[in-house]
């Protein structure tokens, strides 16, 4: 009996000891800064404000460009949303360069992309050095290339640093004070305090936001200097006439989510105000979308109507106002309801959702001759 008690005591002590060393103890690090890019889609004021309030995030670093041909299509919108939420703004460029001249060309491209996206002068524009191009380059070449990139960026008024993996520091390049990625948390937490920041995980999830996020702990004010955050509530005016589409800014990507309008938005047959309006969504309703389009000034969501045809609603202005809130938790919305408005009929509501008015009435225990009243909630599906 004494031996059994002793063994249990030892086991409990052992489990208690190792629990403090497990990677799951990641919350002991400060979630000071979050990376965002096209991988996470368009981020709203609500997304960033939730990170600020519930997770302590105070800075964002948004991808703006890669190589000499790619501009991140979400950069302008995401930086504007982060600014509204009151976060410090920063950017990064994913490096592909292998020579000094190549580094300078990419730096010029990155500066132009950052300026176009609204990254404020004085903010950080980092170089992300982790690609196969650098893996196959020499230590001396990588060090010289990084220096050339940062010199061009700094001459343009931005500050710069190197983002890279912990295993590359001192082996693939020289890094004085950088932004270092190294996991797992429990083995790396005290290794990078002499640097600006340590990225300690790449799988952080935030409620209401899409995908996994890289998060970092800051060790100084490098990513928060030269700015005074001025949060402001998002403006959500009714959609008006947009600027003409600029083909150079048009892009699209697959993203599933739920959009809840905060103002009345038209339902259209295509991603643009030139397309026919076939109905509208109002505050209190929601729509599950499967694709996002940036067409000139506006951002659009696509969804499949019950008629089997695609329809589109405006999510907001690219880099400006949002017409509602979005979340990635589409699976939590298994039913759709509609709040009756003045002037509605079974026919007009059924036409909006692409279903039969007889089906709509039957779904709610009514006939098409039944009366419906403003404020009444009807079950659609």
């Amino acid at each position: 009996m004494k031996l059994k008690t002793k063994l249990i005591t030892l086991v409990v002590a052992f489990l208690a000891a190792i629990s403090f060393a497990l990677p799951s103890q990641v919350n002991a690090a400060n979630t000071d800064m979050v990376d965002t890019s096209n991988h996470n889609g368009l981020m709203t004021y609500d997304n960033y404000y939730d990170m600020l309030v519930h997770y302590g995030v105070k800075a964002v670093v948004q991808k703006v460009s890669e190589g000499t041909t790619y501009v991140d299509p979400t950069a302008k919108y995401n930086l504007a949303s982060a600014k509204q939420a009151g976060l410090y703004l920063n950017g990064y460029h994913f490096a592909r360069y292998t020579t000094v001249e190549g580094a300078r060309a990419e730096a010029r491209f990155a500066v132009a992309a950052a300026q176009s996206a609204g990254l404020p002068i004085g903010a950080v524009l980092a170089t992300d050095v982790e690609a196969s191009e650098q893996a196959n380059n020499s230590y001396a070449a990588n060090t010289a290339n990084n220096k050339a990139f940062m010199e061009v960026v700094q001459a343009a008024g931005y500050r710069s640093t190197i983002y890279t993996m912990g295993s590359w520091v001192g082996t693939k390049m020289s890094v004085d004070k950088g932004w270092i990625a190294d996991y797992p948390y429990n083995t790396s937490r005290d290794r990078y305090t002499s640097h600006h920041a340590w990225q300690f995980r790449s799988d952080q999830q935030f409620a209401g936001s899409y995908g996994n996020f890289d998060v970092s702990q800051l060790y100084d004010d490098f990513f928060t200097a030269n700015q005074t955050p001025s949060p402001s509530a998002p403006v959500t005016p009714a959609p008006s006439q947009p600027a003409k589409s600029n083909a150079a800014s048009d892009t699209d990507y697959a993203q599933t989510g739920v959009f809840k309008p905060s103002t009345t938005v038209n339902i259209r047959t295509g991603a643009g105000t030139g397309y026919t309006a076939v109905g509208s969504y109002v505050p209190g309703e929601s729509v599950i979308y499967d694709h996002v389009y940036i067409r000139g000034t506006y951002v659009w969501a696509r969804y499949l109507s019950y008629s089997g045809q695609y329809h589109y609603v405006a999510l907001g202005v690219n880099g400006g106002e949002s017409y509602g809130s979005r979340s990635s938790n589409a699976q939590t919305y298994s039913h759709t309801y509609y709040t009756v408005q003045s002037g509605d009929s079974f026919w007009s509501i059924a036409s909006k959702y692409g279903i039969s008015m007889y089906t709509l009435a039957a779904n709610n225990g009514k006939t098409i001759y039944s009366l419906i009243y403003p404020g009444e909630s009807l079950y659609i599906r």
Side-chain angles (χ1 to χ4, degrees):
M1 189 68 177
K2 289 182 178 179
L3 177 60
K4 183 178 180 181
T5 301
K6 185 175 182 181
L7 287 174
I8 291 175
T9 301
L10 289 172
V11 169
V12 171
F14 173 73
L15 291 175
I18 65 172
S19 67
F20 291 101
L22 292 176
S24 61
Q25 299 296 317
V26 69
N27 290 332
N30 295 328
T31 309
D32 294 323
M33 186 168 70
V34 63
D35 305 13
T36 53
S37 70
N38 59 88
H39 171 74
N40 306 109
L42 296 175
M43 301 286 293
T44 66
Y45 166 93
D46 291 332
N47 295 144
Y48 285 123
Y49 186 73
D50 182 73
M51 293 177 181
L52 171 70
V53 173
H54 296 108
Y55 298 89
V57 174
K58 57 187 177 183
V60 62
V61 57
Q62 164 70 37
K63 181 176 181 179
V64 297
S65 54
E66 179 175 337
T68 56
T69 58
Y70 179 81
V71 174
D72 193 303
T74 66
K76 184 175 182 179
Y77 188 95
N78 288 355
L79 286 172
S81 297
K83 181 179 180 180
Q84 281 187 324
L87 298 183
Y88 292 93
L89 307 182
N90 303 280
Y92 74 92
H93 168 85
F94 193 90
R96 294 293 185 182
Y97 49 72
T98 58
T99 65
V100 166
E101 284 309 310
R104 289 173 179 155
E106 289 195 26
R108 291 190 292 270
F109 183 77
V111 166
Q115 292 173 339
S116 178
L119 185 68
I121 294 298
V124 172
L125 178 54
T127 177
D128 180 345
V129 186
E130 57 176 315
S132 59
E133 288 88 342
Q134 290 85 43
N136 296 323
N137 237 9
S138 68
Y139 177 97
N142 284 334
T143 299
N145 296 343
N146 294 340
K147 182 175 183 291
F149 179 95
M150 291 190 291
E151 285 175 346
V152 172
V153 169
Q154 290 163 356
Y158 291 110
R159 293 174 298 117
S160 194
T161 190
I162 300 168
Y163 167 92
T164 194
M165 298 171 284
S167 61
W168 281 27
V169 176
T171 59
K172 290 291 184 180
M173 66 194 76
S174 173
V175 182
D176 181 19
K177 288 179 71 69
W179 169 26
I180 312 302
D182 202 356
Y183 328 122
Y185 166 80
N186 63 307
T187 61
S188 308
R189 57 180 299 174
D190 298 320
R191 296 176 60 186
Y192 302 108
T193 55
S194 63
H195 289 273
H196 296 307
W198 164 46
Q199 186 185 98
F200 60 88
R201 68 183 298 180
S202 60
D203 59 354
Q204 176 70 48
Q205 294 188 340
F206 298 99
S209 296
Y210 181 81
N212 292 332
F213 293 82
D214 299 335
V215 290
S216 302
Q217 175 166 313
L218 303 181
Y219 292 118
D220 56 28
D221 66 351
F222 187 71
F223 285 92
T224 58
N226 299 332
Q227 296 181 51
T228 302
S230 53
S232 59
V235 179
T236 56
S240 58
Q241 292 298 318
K244 292 183 178 180
S245 175
N246 177 359
S249 67
D250 289 353
T251 188
D252 65 272
Y253 53 92
Q255 183 186 107
T256 300
V258 178
F259 174 59
K260 293 182 177 180
S262 57
T263 187
T264 300
V265 293
N266 288 326
I267 300 170
R268 297 188 180 272
T269 57
T273 57
Y275 291 91
T276 303
V278 294
S280 62
Y281 279 97
V282 299
E285 297 184 280
S286 63
V287 57
I288 300 174
Y289 59 89
D290 64 6
H291 217 87
V292 172
Y293 297 82
I294 299 176
R295 291 290 181 264
T297 302
Y298 286 82
V299 181
W300 300 83
R302 182 188 75 179
Y303 70 95
L304 188 64
S305 72
Y306 299 110
S307 64
Q309 297 181 339
Y310 282 116
H311 287 157
Y312 303 79
V313 293
L315 298 175
V317 177
N318 184 20
E321 303 89 357
S322 171
Y323 296 150
S325 63
R326 295 184 298 125
S327 76
S328 60
N329 299 323
Q331 69 275 10
T332 65
Y333 295 83
S334 56
H335 301 291
T336 299
Y337 293 86
Y338 175 77
T339 302
V340 177
Q341 308 295 309
S342 178
D344 278 338
S345 66
F346 280 118
W347 179 86
S348 64
I349 298 170
S351 297
K352 172 179 179 176
Y353 288 98
I355 62 175
S356 164
M357 64 178 177
Y358 297 95
T359 300
L360 173 62
N363 284 347
N364 290 274
K366 300 176 183 289
T367 72
I368 62 170
Y369 304 106
S370 300
L371 296 177
I372 53 176
Y373 303 93
E376 181 179 356
S377 180
L378 295 182
Y379 171 70
I380 305 299
R381 69 176 178 94

